[in-house]
Amino acid sequence: MDTPVGQWTIYGAACSGSVPIEAALLLLQIPYTVIEAVTWAEPEAQARVAPFNPLRQVPTAILPGGDVMTESAAILIALADAHPGSGLGPALYDPARAAFLRWMSYVSSAIYSLHWILADPERIAVPADAKETVTGALYQRIETCWRLMDQALEPPQYILGPVLTVLDLYVAVVSRFGPWRRRFYAAAPKLAQVARRVDADPRLAAFWARRYPFEEGWEG
Ligand SMILES: N[C@@H](CCC(=O)N[C@@H](CS)C(=O)NCC(=O)O)C(=O)O
């Protein structure tokens, strides 16, 4: 049986890593409030998040009982686990569980984490005249990580099976961060099909328009 639902609060922002969590909450019909915090551009947004997440990042979730959770992959897995009837993630003894945990962690650690440097390469003491080179190398690395993930998988419809999971939501969103979808499509053609399917999910059409619009040139 699924766990009872309550109101979630998400510190998040349009076009950010909070979007797959907001999408999962929507699909689960869990009531949630988003407190906008464009942490990568606004010091006051960082200050708003800081009491709950010392890294001053979004997503930061306040769970119905008041507990705080950070880390997008962990929040998505917790949401799927708390609602086993939703199909949003394989249950503990499901044979797909290992792949689910593997690729959720991979997207977070191998790909998403590089965006902290991309946002400002000076964070790792890259000299101003080397920024472009480092950014190019990071984009290359992200592309390679998508390629390797693609080569390891044979998505039947969604990444792990016939049903959409939070992994599909995660990949659909993180693949829209730099170096943008066109490079992702070329590097990861099988995952590209899944991402396009998630983009076109009618249950999410109004949501994407609000939280990660497909505006002119969005594919990069
Ligand atoms: N490991 C974190 C990364 C979160 C993250 O990098 N969030 C970005 C927005 S998409 C952020 O808040 N950046 C501001 C900063 O790091 O200063 C997660 O998976 O939730």
Side-chain angles (χ1 to χ4, degrees):
M1 202 174 82
D2 290 3
T3 52
V5 296
Q7 177 85 25
W8 282 51
T9 301
I10 306 289
Y11 285 83
C15 315
S16 82
S18 69
V19 170
I21 291 151
E22 297 170 36
L25 288 166
L26 187 78
L27 292 175
L28 289 165
Q29 298 181 309
I30 295 174
Y32 67 95
T33 306
V34 177
I35 299 177
E36 285 296 316
V38 185
T39 42
W40 60 94
E42 298 169 0
E44 61 279 14
Q46 291 188 358
R48 248 190 328 277
V49 176
F52 308 103
N53 180 354
L55 283 181
R56 298 168 179 238
Q57 293 181 325
V58 293
T60 294
I62 317 294
L63 309 189
D67 285 337
V68 174
M69 228 184 143
T70 67
E71 297 307 317
S72 52
I75 299 168
L76 287 166
I77 294 167
L79 261 175
D81 283 355
H83 300 88
S86 68
L88 281 180
L92 199 54
Y93 298 109
D94 188 310
R97 181 75 178 180
F100 175 63
L101 296 178
R102 174 184 179 188
W103 298 115
M104 289 297 295
S105 297
Y106 180 95
V107 171
S108 171
S109 62
I111 297 172
Y112 190 177
S113 65
L114 296 181
H115 286 275
W116 184 78
I117 304 171
L118 278 166
D120 179 7
E122 282 183 23
R123 285 174 158 171
I124 56 158
V126 169
D129 64 356
K131 271 192 198 175
E132 211 172 306
T133 310
V134 169
T135 299
L138 288 170
Y139 281 168
Q140 195 62 50
R141 170 69 181 168
I142 289 172
E143 206 175 305
T144 300
C145 290
W146 284 128
R147 176 174 299 107
L148 296 176
M149 179 173 176
D150 196 76
Q151 286 169 357
L153 287 160
E154 287 301 334
Q157 185 174 6
Y158 293 100
I159 296 172
L160 299 175
V163 177
L164 178 142
T165 71
V166 292
L167 177 60
D168 303 296
L169 296 173
Y170 204 26
V171 167
V173 171
V174 175
S175 63
R176 292 185 65 176
F177 301 163
W180 325 123
R181 272 290 187 78
R182 277 187 209 289
R183 282 176 75 167
F184 168 76
Y185 295 152
K190 291 178 272 179
L191 292 175
Q193 283 192 353
V194 174
R196 286 192 171 106
R197 185 166 288 123
V198 178
D199 295 345
D201 190 317
R203 297 170 299 171
L204 294 170
F207 173 79
W208 293 135
R210 210 160 22 87
R211 299 303 283 160
Y212 214 148
F214 302 108
E215 283 162 352
E216 180 79 22
W218 72 274
E219 286 168 309

